[in-house]
Amino acid sequence: MKKFMDDNFMLNNETAVKLFNDYAKDMPIFDYHCHLSPQMMYEDKPFENITQIFLGGDHYKWRYMRSNGIDESYITGDKSDYDKFKAFCGCLQYAIGNPLYHWTHLELKRYFNVDEVVTAENCDTIWEKCNKVIKETKMSPSTLINQSNVAVLCTTDDPIDSLEYHKLIAEKGHIKAKVLPAFRPDRLINIEKTDFTDYIKALGNICGMNIKNYDELITAVNERIDYFHNAGCRISDHALDGVPFNRDYSADDIFAKKMNGENLSDDEINAFKCETLIRLAKKYSELDWAMQLHIGALRNNNSAMFKKLGADVGFDSIADYEIAADLSALLDEMECNDGLPKTILYTLNPKDNYVLATMLGNFQSAETAGKMQFGSAWWFNDQRDGMVEQMKALANLGALNKFVGMLTDSRSFLSYTRHEYFRRILCNMLGEWVENGEFPDDFDTLGKIVKDICFNNAKRYFNVEM
C-alpha cells in the first residue's frame, strides 16, 4: 500500500516521477486567468486566521459543505471563523474521491507545513498550527503569491475599471509576479440584463461621451481596450454560456430599442452579442491579444439563494447547449473579417471536448503555433478525470505539445497548489504512454513537452514582457 500523499503522489510509474521532479516541479507559473482581487493584493493585509484564507470565497468548498448538510451559517453566515473551520474539517474527513480532499491537503503541506490528515478530531491541532504560521510570517496575499513561484498573474477586470490597483501593485513592488489585467466585457455584451442601460451610461462617463448609438458604443469600447493594452493587458475573457450567432438583425437597431426601454427577442439578443463579439475580436486581433471563450455554464440556478447571497457563491452548474454549428459560424465570421485573434476555447460540459478539440483545426494558422487552443479543464472539470479527458482529446485530435496549460481560475490565494496537482497528472499520463511502449523514453523530447506545457508555451503565446 502506498503512503498517503507522499512525494510520488499521483505519479504511478518511474517515468512520471522523473518527468515531474526533473522537468515540471520547479517551472514558474503563468496564471493567465484568475479571479484574485487586485485591491487585496495591493493592500496586502495579513490574514487573521486559516479560515479567512481557506474558506473565504472558495465556492468549491462551500458546495461540498452544503452537500454534507452543513448549515449556511457555517458557510457564508455569521458563525465564528473557528466554527466554520471545524465544520469544514468535520465533513472533509469523508471526502473520498473528491479533488477537494487532495487540494486541501496540498494547501496544508505547501503553505503551513502541516502533514496531519484532516479529521474532526484533529481540527484544533491544525487550526493552531496554521494560525501560528500565519502570525509568525505575517502571511498576506503577497506571501502566498511569492512563495508559489508565480511569474505572471492575470486578473479579471471590467472595461470601466480604472486599473488603479494594478498600477499601485507595480509601484509598490511587493509582489514578484507581474500582475496584469484581463479584459472581461460581459456587462456590455449581455444586453438582456436589466442593468445594461445603466452600464452603458457609466461606460460613456468613463470615456467622456454620451453613447447614443452602436457605433459610438464600439468607439468607447475600443478606447477602453487601448487603455487596458497600455496597462499591459494582452488577454480578453468572455463568459458565453451558449454560443450566440445570428446575422439577421442590425446591432444598431437592437441597441436603440434597448436604450429606449423596449423588449428584445431572443434572436435580437443573439444578433447583438454576435456582432459585438466579432467587432471586439477584430480589435483583439489588431493588438495581438488572446481571446478566451468560456462556454457552457448554467448560472444562479437557486434564485432564492441568489437573492440572498448574490452570484458566484456555489449555485452554478453545467449546461447542455448545442454549440458546434454556432461556434463554427462565429469563428468563421471572425476569420472572414480578418479578425480572428489567438483564441482559447473552454467547455464546461465534457460532452463538448471533441467538438472543441476538432474545431481548433479548422482555424489554425502558421502565424502562431497553437493559435487556436483547447482551454484547460475548467471549473467542474478541474479534477483528475476532467484534466485527463481534456488532454487526451487534445492529444488525439491536435497538438498537445502546444497546449498553454493550467490556469487557476480561483478567488483563493491558496489555489496555486492546483498547478502542482495538474503537473502531477500531466506527468503521470505521459509516463503511462512511455511505460506502455506508446512513446519512446526520449527525455529530451519529453522534458521539452512538459516544460512547454507547464510554462513556456504560455509565455510565448501571450507575448508578455517578463
Side-chain angles (χ1 to χ4, degrees):
M1 181 184 296
K2 290 186 175 181
K3 182 181 177 183
F4 172 65
M5 290 189 69
D6 63 6
D7 289 343
N8 292 334
F9 166 62
M10 301 185 90
L11 305 173
N12 298 323
N13 53 74
E14 291 182 7
T15 303
V17 171
K18 181 174 177 61
L19 288 176
F20 179 74
N21 287 295
D22 293 355
Y23 301 98
K25 183 178 179 181
D26 297 323
M27 290 298 289
I29 289 172
F30 197 123
D31 189 14
Y32 54 91
H33 176 62
C34 76
H35 296 278
L36 297 177
S37 163
Q39 182 175 350
M40 286 184 67
M41 283 187 265
Y42 167 68
E43 293 175 348
D44 206 32
K45 295 177 181 177
F47 297 103
E48 295 178 5
N49 59 59
I50 181 61
T51 301
Q52 291 184 357
I53 322 174
F54 222 49
L55 296 174
D58 196 334
H59 55 78
Y60 292 90
K61 291 173 180 172
W62 294 351
R63 282 175 68 95
Y64 180 72
M65 293 173 75
R66 291 182 187 121
S67 296
N68 277 273
I70 303 298
D71 187 80
E72 194 67 29
S73 61
Y74 291 89
I75 302 171
T76 60
D78 59 1
K79 293 295 184 182
S80 71
D81 286 348
Y82 168 76
D83 287 337
K84 290 178 178 179
F85 182 74
K86 187 172 184 178
F88 175 69
C89 290
C91 58
L92 186 76
Q93 178 176 351
Y94 302 98
I96 188 168
N98 192 309
L100 274 175
Y101 197 79
H102 294 153
W103 295 347
T104 300
H105 285 90
L106 282 174
E107 290 167 357
L108 290 172
K109 283 173 178 281
R110 300 297 177 250
Y111 296 112
F112 303 99
N113 198 29
V114 170
D115 271 325
E116 280 86 350
V117 174
V118 177
T119 65
E121 288 71 28
N122 67 359
C123 158
D124 287 350
T125 300
I126 296 173
W127 171 265
E128 291 168 5
K129 285 187 176 182
C130 290
N131 288 341
K132 183 181 179 183
V133 172
I134 291 169
K135 183 177 180 180
E136 289 177 348
T137 63
K138 297 181 180 179
M139 186 176 283
S140 66
S142 68
T143 309
L144 298 170
I145 295 169
N146 292 339
Q147 189 177 331
S148 302
N149 196 21
V150 182
V152 179
L153 188 165
C154 299
T155 57
T156 302
D157 308 280
D158 190 276
I160 64 175
D161 195 300
S162 68
L163 306 183
E164 61 177 312
Y165 290 110
H166 295 82
K167 300 169 188 175
L168 291 170
I169 289 168
E171 292 170 3
K172 191 172 182 179
H174 60 303
I175 294 178
K176 296 176 184 178
K178 197 163 192 172
V179 180
L180 300 174
F183 190 75
R184 179 74 172 249
D186 293 349
R187 293 183 68 192
L188 68 86
I189 289 179
N190 293 336
I191 194 170
E192 76 279 13
K193 300 294 185 182
T194 55
D195 66 348
F196 178 82
T197 54
D198 290 337
Y199 182 78
I200 298 304
K201 292 174 184 176
L203 174 64
N205 289 336
I206 288 289
C207 296
M209 60 188 293
N210 180 21
I211 299 174
K212 300 183 295 296
N213 56 53
Y214 184 73
D215 285 341
E216 290 178 352
L217 171 63
I218 297 302
T219 297
V221 174
N222 285 342
E223 181 180 314
R224 296 308 295 169
I225 292 175
D226 288 333
Y227 179 82
F228 271 62
H229 187 80
N230 291 333
C233 178
R234 297 295 181 268
I235 304 169
S236 73
D237 182 39
H238 300 265
L240 295 187
D241 299 340
V243 179
F245 189 81
N246 188 302
R247 306 297 280 155
D248 297 333
Y249 299 85
S250 160
D252 193 54
D253 291 343
I254 299 165
F255 180 77
K257 284 182 67 175
K258 180 67 176 184
M259 299 304 287
N260 288 331
E262 300 178 45
N263 293 328
L264 302 177
S265 68
D266 289 343
D267 286 342
E268 288 173 318
I269 291 168
N270 275 335
F272 178 86
K273 291 181 177 183
C274 175
E275 178 64 28
T276 305
L277 282 168
I278 291 168
R279 297 282 193 106
L280 292 176
K282 178 82 169 179
K283 180 70 172 179
Y284 301 154
S285 181
E286 291 170 359
L287 295 175
D288 194 31
W289 280 21
M291 175 177 69
Q292 300 175 94
L293 303 181
H294 283 87
I295 303 166
L298 192 63
R299 300 175 190 273
N300 306 318
N301 296 271
N302 189 328
S303 58
M305 294 303 288
F306 176 70
K307 291 176 183 176
K308 182 178 179 180
L309 299 175
D312 303 321
V313 291
F315 296 97
D316 306 318
S317 58
I318 295 173
D320 58 355
Y321 306 110
E322 292 184 4
I323 66 169
D326 286 340
L327 179 59
S328 174
L330 180 63
L331 296 175
D332 188 54
E333 285 281 340
M334 293 174 180
E335 177 80 358
C336 293
N337 192 41
D338 293 325
L340 179 62
K342 294 178 292 190
T343 301
I344 307 176
L345 303 175
Y346 304 84
T347 177
L348 195 56
N349 195 325
K351 77 175 178 62
D352 293 321
N353 279 354
Y354 273 59
V355 171
L356 265 57
T358 54
M359 193 68 67
L360 308 178
N362 301 329
F363 299 100
Q364 297 288 13
S365 169
E367 66 186 275
T368 302
K371 174 183 176 179
M372 303 297 294
Q373 288 278 330
F374 183 10
S376 180
W378 170 41
W379 199 345
F380 296 111
N381 302 310
D382 184 12
Q383 27 76 9
R384 175 167 48 193
D385 292 344
M387 290 178 182
V388 169
E389 288 177 13
Q390 181 267 342
M391 287 190 284
K392 283 187 175 180
L394 177 55
N396 276 320
L397 301 166
L400 177 64
N401 61 300
K402 295 302 180 184
F403 179 33
V404 292
M406 181 63 171
L407 63 155
T408 306
D409 191 25
S410 174
R411 292 167 175 79
S412 170
F413 289 97
L414 294 178
S415 292
Y416 286 107
T417 52
R418 296 181 195 174
H419 285 261
E420 176 184 343
Y421 181 75
F422 165 82
R423 291 173 181 186
R424 288 176 179 273
I425 292 166
L426 167 67
C427 291
N428 190 69
M429 182 183 74
L430 299 181
E432 286 181 355
W433 291 343
V434 172
E435 299 274 340
N436 290 336
E438 299 172 31
F439 196 88
D441 60 346
D442 172 4
F443 282 94
D444 288 339
T445 298
L446 289 164
K448 183 179 188 307
I449 291 171
V450 168
K451 285 188 170 185
D452 284 351
I453 293 173
C454 288
F455 178 75
N456 294 332
N457 285 342
K459 179 183 176 183
R460 286 189 289 264
Y461 187 79
F462 296 110
N463 196 26
V464 171
E465 292 184 12
M466 307 296 290

